[in-house]
């Protein structure tokens, strides 16, 4: 696939949907299936295993999205995509947190699970902000070096 000039909205939407929805959704399904197959359901190790898969979905999805954008999109304002991407991702993450808390409260209702989810989402959001900011800055620098060079 040849890279094409893309509008900021396309870059932001692609990045946010990949990192805040698609990859975490896939990782959640895989993690839940593996927890069930390994007999870890309902245990603290199973819960941590499941959260680990979700973290891979979020953080791995962020790296995957940046790599995809690098090969498929050309922009003169990569850095300008940072704040809208963070706003979109945080919105998805907060919806995911709310859904997860509701699921926990209607399930086991254990407070450690709710606290674990809050810490998990704070870490995931911080990682997304760092990786996305650095990634878009690197893409901006690469775009500028192509123009200058």
């Amino acid at each position: 696939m040849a890279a094409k000039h893309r509008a900021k909205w396309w870059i932001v939407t692609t990045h946010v949907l990949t990192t805040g929805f698609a990859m975490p959704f896939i990782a959640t399904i895989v993690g839940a299936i593996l927890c069930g197959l390994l007999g870890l359901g309902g245990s603290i190790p199973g819960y941590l295993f499941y959260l680990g898969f979700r973290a891979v979905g979020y953080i791995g999805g962020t790296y995957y999205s940046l790599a995809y954008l690098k090969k498929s999109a050309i922009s003169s304002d990569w850095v300008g995509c940072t704040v809208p991407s963070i706003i979109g991702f945080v919105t998805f993450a907060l919806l995911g947190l709310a859904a997860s808390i509701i699921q926990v409260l209607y399930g086991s209702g254990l407070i450690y699970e709710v606290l674990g989810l809050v810490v998990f989402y704070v870490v995931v959001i911080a990682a997304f902000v760092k990786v996305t900011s650095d990634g878009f800055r690197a893409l901006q620098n690469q775009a500028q070096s192509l123009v200058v060079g």
Side-chain angles (χ1 to χ4, degrees):
M1 167 194 290
K4 297 179 184 178
H5 283 278
R6 300 290 188 174
K8 187 187 299 187
W9 69 265
W10 186 92
I11 292 169
V12 170
T13 303
T14 300
H15 190 56
V16 170
L17 288 176
T18 302
T19 60
F21 181 72
M23 297 303 275
F25 181 75
I26 292 167
T28 297
I29 291 171
V30 171
I33 290 170
L34 289 176
C35 274
L37 291 174
L38 296 172
L40 297 173
S43 68
I44 292 174
Y47 184 68
L48 294 174
F49 181 82
Y50 173 74
L51 284 181
F53 262 86
R54 289 177 75 177
V56 168
Y58 279 113
I59 297 167
T62 305
Y63 283 108
Y64 171 82
S65 178
L66 289 168
Y68 173 78
L69 290 170
K70 180 180 181 177
K71 70 179 182 179
S72 64
I74 298 170
S75 176
S76 59
D77 188 20
W78 287 103
V79 173
C81 298
T82 305
V83 171
S85 292
I86 290 169
I87 291 169
F89 181 84
V90 169
T91 301
F92 270 113
L94 292 176
L95 290 171
L97 172 61
S100 296
I101 287 174
I102 290 168
Q103 182 182 10
V104 165
L105 293 177
Y106 281 105
S108 59
L110 299 174
I111 193 68
Y112 77 85
E113 289 180 298
V114 173
L115 293 174
L117 285 167
V118 171
V119 170
F120 172 80
Y121 276 97
V122 167
V123 170
V124 164
I125 288 169
F128 176 84
V129 168
K130 173 74 171 137
V131 173
T132 295
S133 298
D134 291 351
F136 281 153
R137 198 173 314 111
L139 289 169
Q140 185 72 44
N141 292 338
Q142 179 185 5
Q144 287 174 343
S145 68
L146 292 174
V147 171
V148 173

